[in-house]
Amino acid sequence: MYFGGAVLTWLVNILAGVLRGTGNMKLPSMMIVNSAICQIILGGTLGLGLGPVPQFGMPGVATGSLIAYSINIAIMSWYLFSGRGRIVPRLRGFRMRWALFADILKVGVVACFSPLQNTLTNLVFTHMLAVFGTAVLAAYGIGARLEYVLATIAFSIGIGSVPMIGVAIGAGRIARARRIAWTTGVVALIVIGGLACAAALFPDPWVRLFTDNAEAHAASRQFLRTVAPFYAFIGLASAMYFSSQGAGNVLGPVLAQTARLLFIVLGGSYLISQTAAAESFFSLTAASMMLLGALSCAAVAFTRWGPRKTGGKGRLSLASVGDK
């Protein structure tokens, strides 16, 4: 049922992206918070039953989520079509412009590989750690949950750079666009690094949220103290990825993720052949994060940003072929 209504999830994110593109970061953020609150209330009520509302189980939870998305779609659509935004969508006279689809897909298709590779990296590493038992797997899972939380914060930092860099490049101010990218990267590195180092120094409060098993607790503490400080490079890589989105070229950061995946596969295969301990795999994870951050920065540093003629009579679009 939820999958059948997945188009609502996509539409929410599309509308939020349109609003962010106009420079409005407040309303999309409020809608995300509103969505979470509505999902908890509606999903809990319909799933578990409350008062006169019968218990629908998992279909009720899915329905609550879809209703929450529909509410946000209605609010953001009203905001845009009412003229309160900086742009007003017009349905009258609408016609398909394939050149615009090409510009969107040029970034979107490549960007699709980013979450796929990230998920595949986690699956590969989980498979490698399975031989060490449930305690080590639990440690990796607990660390991954912290990474997801920090990735959300990194997203909130990085997404703000997309419209700023896009506008700067569209105006031909390439140097300004690069300053925005590096500033975003430094902020993400410091903020995520600070939070991650706090978790590494004091891992117990986070670990206790998930387990009270002594063996899993010890393995989780060791994992966080080894790996958590390097989550800062995940934040840095996320900032570089969003900056590249604003520049209209995400190939470099996506290839950086490919390199990280290959590094883990090859390094993990070597450690398996050497019957290495779990601690060596923890170090491999930390090293892969450093590699991802460094290569993502290199991608931004060495990719040329600037407007590009797409053919026709001098029409320009955002692309990464030539600084001005």
Side-chain angles (χ1 to χ4, degrees), residues 1-10 12 35 38-39 42-43 46 58-74:
M1 181 175 182
Y2 183 84
F3 184 78
V7 66
L8 298 178
T9 306
W10 300 333
V12 165
S35 178
C38 288
Q39 286 185 60
L42 295 174
L46 296 175
M58 291 307 297
V61 175
T63 301
S65 296
L66 296 178
I67 292 174
Y69 293 143
S70 299
I71 293 172
N72 289 339
I73 290 170

Side-chain angles (χ1 to χ4, degrees), residues 156-207:
S156 66
I157 296 172
I159 195 66
S161 69
V162 176
M164 290 191 291
I165 290 175
V167 169
I169 290 181
R173 303 181 64 181
I174 309 304
R176 174 180 171 82
R178 290 195 177 278
R179 283 198 301 271
I180 294 171
W182 295 124
T183 301
T184 304
V186 170
V187 171
L189 183 71
I190 293 174
V191 172
I192 303 302
L195 294 173
C197 286
L201 291 172
F202 308 101
D204 291 346
W206 177 257
V207 176

Side-chain angles (χ1 to χ4, degrees), residues 109-201:
V109 170
V110 178
C112 287
F113 289 95
S114 177
L116 290 176
Q117 290 188 127
N118 186 54
T119 301
L120 184 57
T121 298
N122 290 331
L123 289 175
V124 169
F125 206 79
T126 300
H127 175 73
M128 291 179 176
L129 290 178
V131 298
F132 296 104
T134 56
V136 172
L137 279 177
Y140 179 67
I142 291 171
R145 294 301 178 274
L146 177 61
E147 181 181 345
Y148 292 153
V149 171
L150 296 177
T152 303
I153 299 174
F155 173 90
S156 66
I157 296 172
I159 195 66
S161 69
V162 176
M164 290 191 291
I165 290 175
V167 169
I169 290 181
R173 303 181 64 181
I174 309 304
R176 174 180 171 82
R178 290 195 177 278
R179 283 198 301 271
I180 294 171
W182 295 124
T183 301
T184 304
V186 170
V187 171
L189 183 71
I190 293 174
V191 172
I192 303 302
L195 294 173
C197 286
L201 291 172

Side-chain angles (χ1 to χ4, degrees), residues 38-51 53-57 60-61:
C38 288
Q39 286 185 60
I40 292 172
I41 296 175
L42 295 174
T45 300
L46 296 175
L48 302 175
L50 182 63
V53 179
Q55 180 178 345
F56 293 102
V61 175

Side-chain angles (χ1 to χ4, degrees), residues 2-324:
Y2 183 84
F3 184 78
V7 66
L8 298 178
T9 306
W10 300 333
L11 188 54
V12 165
N13 285 284
I14 289 172
L15 290 172
V18 171
L19 288 169
R20 292 190 188 105
T22 66
N24 186 340
M25 305 296 293
K26 183 177 180 180
L27 183 58
S29 299
M30 291 175 61
M31 290 299 97
I32 292 175
V33 174
N34 179 65
S35 178
I37 295 174
C38 288
Q39 286 185 60
I40 292 172
I41 296 175
L42 295 174
T45 300
L46 296 175
L48 302 175
L50 182 63
V53 179
Q55 180 178 345
F56 293 102
M58 291 307 297
V61 175
T63 301
S65 296
L66 296 178
I67 292 174
Y69 293 143
S70 299
I71 293 172
N72 289 339
I73 290 170
I75 294 173
M76 288 188 286
S77 297
W78 167 81
Y79 184 87
L80 283 170
F81 283 93
S82 66
R84 287 170 170 78
R86 295 185 179 181
I87 61 172
V88 182
R90 300 184 186 276
L91 299 179
R92 180 180 299 177
F94 172 80
R95 63 186 179 88
M96 303 293 286
R97 297 179 60 183
W98 298 110
L100 295 180
F101 275 100
D103 276 348
I104 293 171
L105 294 177
K106 178 182 62 182
V107 176
V109 170
V110 178
C112 287
F113 289 95
S114 177
L116 290 176
Q117 290 188 127
N118 186 54
T119 301
L120 184 57
T121 298
N122 290 331
L123 289 175
V124 169
F125 206 79
T126 300
H127 175 73
M128 291 179 176
L129 290 178
V131 298
F132 296 104
T134 56
V136 172
L137 279 177
Y140 179 67
I142 291 171
R145 294 301 178 274
L146 177 61
E147 181 181 345
Y148 292 153
V149 171
L150 296 177
T152 303
I153 299 174
F155 173 90
S156 66
I157 296 172
I159 195 66
S161 69
V162 176
M164 290 191 291
I165 290 175
V167 169
I169 290 181
R173 303 181 64 181
I174 309 304
R176 174 180 171 82
R178 290 195 177 278
R179 283 198 301 271
I180 294 171
W182 295 124
T183 301
T184 304
V186 170
V187 171
L189 183 71
I190 293 174
V191 172
I192 303 302
L195 294 173
C197 286
L201 291 172
F202 308 101
D204 291 346
W206 177 257
V207 176
R208 290 195 191 101
L209 294 175
F210 302 94
T211 182
D212 57 1
N213 179 274
E215 188 177 358
H217 194 110
S220 300
R221 187 187 299 113
Q222 184 175 25
F223 180 88
L224 290 176
R225 285 178 174 168
T226 303
V227 178
F230 296 91
Y231 288 150
F233 292 95
I234 296 293
L236 176 61
S238 177
M240 296 299 99
Y241 173 77
F242 283 112
S243 295
S244 298
Q245 276 194 339
N249 191 324
V250 295
L251 180 60
V254 170
L255 290 178
Q257 288 187 322
T258 304
R260 182 197 180 197
L261 176 58
L262 292 175
F263 178 79
I264 287 179
V265 170
L266 296 176
S269 298
Y270 173 77
L271 292 178
I272 290 174
S273 69
Q274 300 296 311
T275 60
E279 292 78 6
S280 298
F281 287 86
F282 296 168
S283 298
L284 176 68
T285 304
S288 73
M289 294 176 181
M290 290 182 62
L291 177 67
L292 176 62
L295 291 180
S296 296
C297 287
V300 170
F302 294 107
T303 299
R304 302 178 68 185
W305 290 358
R308 180 186 69 177
K309 291 185 178 181
T310 60
K313 298 181 180 180
R315 188 171 63 240
L316 295 178
S317 68
L318 296 184
S320 53
V321 289
D323 287 2
K324 288 187 176 181

